[in-house]
Amino acid sequence: MKIGAHVSTSGGLHTAFDRAKAIGAECVQFFESAPQQWGTARIDDAGVAQFRETMAASGLAPAFIHGKYLMNLASADAKIFKTSASTLRSSLNLAGRLGVRGVIFHTGSHKGLGLEAVFDQICEAATQVLAETPDDTWMIFENSAGQGGTIGSKFADLGQILKRIDNSRAKVCIDTCHAFAAGYDLSSSEGVAAAMRELDGEIGAANVAAVHCNDSKAPLGAGRDLHENIGEGHIGRAGFEAIAAHPVFADVPFLLEVPGYKIDGAGKGPDKPNIDLMKEIRDGVAAPAAKPTRRR
Ligand SMILES: [Zn+2]
Ligand SMILES: [Zn+2]
């Protein structure tokens, strides 16, 4: 289980790796460009070569692109829907050029219509995009907190989408904060075990491509997407110990998207203290063979 983070790419996509290393990340996620605006990153072949060299030299892997927040494959607005599908396609094409594992994205919102009303539209668009993008990239659907009709708050919803698409490149990313806010009690080992049984039954553990590792400011089932630093929210340290110890996640990259500790008034995103804490949790629960005389 690698522990990594979402980092800025200010100054060029290749700068993600130095920033990730500086905070001790072992894997990385980034936006290709401003996530609140349409338009994909323009990067020429020299830039791609520089990115690939920097990535290889850093030893950090895997890397992921986080898709645009504006994308909504469930939109009833034809223009937004088309732009969403073409943006997902260009992001996956970019992932192929850069040699990163894939694109993690929010499916979108049905805005109250219900998943059934938009299910065909989502699955057909995803299938089409998969047909037009590189075979070695993954299209990774992220679970939601369920706010405002966002798709994927229930593992069964994501599982249905994956089954219908029926393509081994379609995967999921589980955001721990979103899952908790959607009612999966990840704050205890019993809760984690129950949630993972459901996840394995509905989605299949092998389809989990990444975890967004975030504590939750909002309580269980609040349906609100509010990330908190590891151990400072309602999931808490015990919850992350249970998550790190669960076999479903043994080989899954963890990416922190936490606010960061407040040093000069405001947190600046995932930082070394959060990563160090998550590594300490991982190493404490997941390496019994290396520490046979460990005492508690
Ligand atoms: Zn996300
Ligand atoms: Zn979130």
Side-chain angles (χ1 to χ4, degrees):
M1 176 190 299
K2 290 189 183 178
I3 309 294
H6 184 97
V7 296
S8 157
T9 55
S10 167
L13 296 183
H14 67 284
T15 65
F17 299 102
D18 273 354
R19 281 198 190 86
K21 283 205 113 162
I23 56 172
E26 299 164 332
C27 50
V28 63
Q29 174 183 272
F30 56 89
F31 295 125
E32 62 190 277
S33 56
Q36 316 279 15
Q37 288 166 28
W38 294 116
T40 43
R42 291 215 187 110
I43 179 165
D44 61 14
D45 289 345
V48 168
Q50 183 183 24
F51 179 94
R52 283 176 170 263
E53 274 162 32
T54 314
M55 177 164 66
S58 75
L60 295 183
F64 299 88
I65 294 172
H66 195 299
K68 300 272 173 183
Y69 289 143
L70 296 174
M71 288 200 288
N72 184 2
L73 290 183
S75 182
D77 179 317
K79 200 169 162 212
I80 292 175
F81 169 63
K82 278 184 85 171
T83 310
S84 300
S86 66
T87 300
L88 182 57
R89 180 172 58 230
S90 51
S91 294
L92 276 163
N93 282 328
L94 177 65
R97 285 178 76 207
L98 296 176
V100 304
R101 185 161 286 178
V103 177
I104 299 171
F105 72 108
H106 304 173
T107 314
S109 166
H110 58 63
K111 312 229 166 165
L113 295 174
L115 177 59
E116 246 169 72
V118 294
F119 184 72
D120 288 349
Q121 172 179 323
I122 293 169
C123 297
E124 284 162 19
T127 300
Q128 176 83 21
V129 169
L130 283 164
E132 296 166 347
T133 49
D135 282 338
D136 57 353
T137 58
W138 287 352
M139 175 187 284
I140 306 165
F141 294 82
E142 180 173 348
N143 67 317
S144 75
Q147 76 288 7
T150 47
I151 313 262
S153 62
K154 295 195 179 68
F155 295 151
D157 295 348
L158 294 178
Q160 263 189 62
I161 291 172
L162 254 54
K163 271 177 210 121
R164 167 74 179 277
I165 294 173
D166 192 24
N167 184 314
S168 61
R169 290 171 54 208
K171 306 282 185 191
V172 299
C173 168
I174 301 300
D175 185 310
T176 53
C177 165
H178 300 178
F180 187 78
Y184 294 102
D185 186 1
L186 304 181
S187 67
S188 69
S189 44
E190 299 77 39
V192 169
M196 294 308 108
R197 268 195 303 277
E198 185 173 330
L199 182 147
D200 193 31
E202 299 291 349
I203 297 173
N207 287 319
V208 180
V211 164
H212 280 169
C213 181
N214 306 307
D215 212 328
S216 174
K217 257 188 198 97
L220 178 66
R224 299 183 65 201
D225 180 7
L226 293 169
H227 298 190
E228 181 53 285
N229 294 314
I230 304 302
E232 294 199 320
H234 289 272
I235 297 176
R237 182 177 174 126
F240 284 99
E241 284 175 351
I243 292 164
H246 200 281
V248 162
F249 298 126
D251 293 314
V252 174
F254 275 44
L255 301 157
L256 279 74
E257 301 172 320
V258 295
Y261 292 101
K262 289 180 182 162
I263 296 162
D264 316 313
K268 295 193 169 74
D271 50 15
K272 193 161 188 308
N274 272 286
I275 293 209
D276 285 347
L277 175 55
M278 202 52 219
K279 285 180 177 171
E280 179 192 312
I281 289 171
R282 169 194 66 188
D283 297 343
V285 298
K291 298 178 189 167
T293 56
R294 181 167 56 118
R295 278 184 220 146
R296 294 214 170 229

